[in-house]
Amino acid sequence: MNSQKERSSDAYSLYMPSTPLNVLVSSAYALQCQKQSKKIPPPCIEKAELWLIDQKKVANNPYLFALLAWKESPFQAVKIFSGVQKGKKKVAERRQNFAQIKAGLARFSPQNVMVGSDRRVEFQFALAHLQSCGTPAQGVYLDDGLYSYMGRKSSVLKDSVNAMLKKITYGFWWQEPRVVGASNWIQEAWLFAPEQAVPPIQKKKCHALKAEWFRAPEILQLSQLVANELKFDTAVLTTLDVMLLIPHPANIQKMPGYQSRLQAVVRQLCQQGKQVGVKYHPRSPTEDFLALKSQGGVEIIPSALAFEFCLPNLASHCQVIGDVGTALLTSKWLRPDLSVYAVLDEADSFQKPFIALNQKLDITVIHQLEELIS
């Protein structure tokens, strides 16, 4: 462990993102911390590491490779932890991760542990382990989108059973957060729109993430590196008039006739001379499973490329259109010059609660796909 003298003179922060969005938020935040620390007279130094946790893809992970290639990186080290296994094998995988985390914390003892979801076992284990070593750290929640503003449906019975199983399996340090970002492990929260966050998160010490942090040249460089890893030419994005964000395949199954209606809309947009980009959900089974490319001049954006990494390259006249999801929110926060539309059916019990949130955030709500034509 670092000595108490070292801990008092230097600032040590550990970032534990699990999603591409949180990789971006972690990177932008860490970069700002590093820039601010340089303004403080020595010996104060901001030191940071990033550990990608719960990753379904460990080999050839484009975000890991981009971070490792990032010349302007604020991170002294970048690691990756697997989250591939299920069932009994998942328990063994997590225990293996715990051993690696303990070894990492023996070398790098942070005062702050930053995370996009305090429901991640690795995050709670790291804080619990530091506490047991007599070097407790502060837990900091970094905005990971929709859950910060809509919460999540919880079941007292299901959550209680899950909490007990995890306590027995991993340790009695486990807490079952009913709202992501609001557990007792979290003391501070950095959010895109603190005033719109759910009440349990607002009880924390809240701060606002600034859009200009994401426009820093270093962050634009990281976005380009991610696109390079996915062999995607970002120049395509600058030509688009319309960007369509396709929902999760499971949600599409709940919307009868969605494919044929969307095809018709895309066809008409192309006939109007519009350049249309399509960004499928990462869980989509194939590159273009709704057969939209055949409807006209359509560009398919790699589904593995998180939309937030596309935003810097969109022209200001581009219209971004989606439904339920974080991408519309980040589009409005990071690119307020863009026209952003949410297609939400007020007759649908699942979609209806999201209408008010989108309207609060100045996102235009339309109720049918066909309204896009006019």
Side-chain angles (χ1 to χ4, degrees):
M1 291 287 183
N2 298 302
S3 68
Q4 289 298 318
K5 182 179 179 181
E6 287 179 315
R7 288 173 64 87
S8 63
S9 61
D10 295 345
Y12 293 83
S13 296
L14 172 60
Y15 295 78
M16 302 183 82
S18 57
T19 67
L21 171 59
N22 218 240
V23 168
L24 181 64
V25 175
S26 295
S27 299
Y29 181 85
L31 187 67
Q32 288 303 311
C33 287
Q34 186 184 74
K35 289 179 177 180
Q36 289 300 316
S37 72
K38 289 179 179 178
K39 298 178 182 178
I40 301 172
C44 182
I45 301 171
E46 171 68 18
K47 295 182 178 179
E49 293 195 7
L50 185 145
W51 299 358
L52 270 167
I53 58 173
D54 197 36
Q55 293 301 293
K56 306 304 178 192
K57 185 177 183 179
V58 177
N60 300 319
N61 186 299
Y63 295 93
L64 173 66
F65 286 171
L67 287 163
L68 291 173
W70 189 18
K71 292 181 180 179
E72 302 298 328
S73 173
F75 306 114
Q76 277 71 49
V78 177
K79 297 182 177 183
I80 191 168
F81 294 83
S82 175
V84 176
Q85 302 297 337
K86 296 181 180 180
K88 292 182 180 179
K89 289 184 178 179
K90 190 171 192 67
V91 175
E93 179 184 56
R94 280 177 167 165
R95 285 180 174 158
Q96 186 177 15
N97 287 339
F98 291 168
Q100 293 176 20
I101 289 170
K102 284 176 69 174
L105 293 176
R107 173 187 52 79
F108 182 82
S109 179
Q111 292 116 322
N112 299 297
V113 181
M114 336 287 281
V115 77
S117 173
D118 49 350
R119 293 178 63 83
R120 299 297 180 193
V121 177
E122 297 87 348
F123 164 75
Q124 292 198 22
F125 173 80
L127 283 178
H129 178 69
L130 288 167
Q131 197 171 69
S132 70
C133 293
T135 54
Q138 175 179 247
V140 181
Y141 174 64
L142 297 180
D143 204 338
D144 201 32
L146 202 57
Y147 285 134
S148 304
Y149 307 94
M150 291 297 296
R152 58 178 281 272
K153 290 185 178 180
S154 61
S155 164
V156 175
L157 178 59
K158 185 178 178 180
D159 285 351
S160 299
V161 171
N162 188 56
M164 185 52 63
L165 287 174
K166 283 185 175 173
K167 285 178 183 291
I168 293 170
T169 304
Y170 301 117
F172 279 82
W173 42 262
W174 172 258
Q175 297 178 25
E176 187 73 16
R178 291 186 179 177
V179 174
V180 173
S183 74
N184 292 332
W185 290 115
I186 299 293
Q187 284 76 51
E188 289 191 16
W190 284 82
L191 305 162
F192 287 107
E195 68 285 354
Q196 301 292 350
V198 292
I201 293 180
Q202 289 199 26
K203 290 179 182 178
K204 307 294 180 181
K205 187 177 180 181
C206 292
H207 312 272
L209 295 166
K210 297 182 180 180
E212 57 263 30
W213 296 354
F214 297 84
R215 294 192 289 267
E218 299 90 339
I219 298 301
L220 300 182
Q221 181 189 77
L222 176 62
S223 295
Q224 186 60 54
L225 287 168
V226 175
N228 291 348
E229 288 297 329
L230 293 166
K231 297 179 172 54
F232 176 64
D233 183 2
T234 55
V236 168
L237 297 168
T238 65
T239 68
L240 300 179
D241 301 304
V242 178
M243 171 66 84
L244 293 173
L245 306 178
I246 308 301
H248 192 291
N251 289 340
I252 291 175
Q253 291 179 355
K254 300 173 186 176
M255 297 183 277
Y258 178 84
Q259 180 173 358
S260 59
R261 290 172 60 208
L262 183 60
Q263 285 179 340
V265 167
V266 169
R267 188 162 54 249
Q268 290 181 65
L269 287 170
C270 292
Q271 288 171 356
Q272 292 175 2
K274 301 285 180 66
Q275 281 293 113
V276 179
V278 173
K279 174 70 173 62
Y280 280 99
H281 192 279
R283 294 290 179 87
S284 299
T286 59
E287 182 189 40
D288 185 22
F289 84 104
L290 296 180
L292 298 176
K293 198 167 186 177
S294 61
Q295 306 306 311
V298 173
E299 296 285 351
I300 305 296
I301 315 303
S303 62
L305 179 61
F307 187 59
E308 288 74 21
F309 289 87
C310 298
L311 283 170
N313 294 287
L314 294 179
S316 59
H317 69 266
C318 184
Q319 296 177 314
V320 178
I321 299 155
D323 45 61
V324 174
T326 295
L328 290 185
L329 309 186
T330 51
S331 297
K332 199 64 185 177
W333 292 325
L334 300 182
R335 287 292 306 274
D337 56 316
L338 296 175
S339 298
V340 184
Y341 297 85
V343 184
L344 297 170
D345 185 354
E346 57 188 348
D348 184 287
S349 59
F350 170 70
Q351 297 179 54
K352 188 175 181 179
F354 296 93
I355 293 175
L357 173 64
N358 280 276
Q359 290 174 335
K360 279 182 185 177
L361 296 172
D362 201 27
I363 294 172
T364 303
V365 175
I366 58 178
H367 303 297
Q368 299 294 332
L369 281 168
E370 288 72 15
E371 292 180 53
L372 298 177
I373 304 304
S374 57

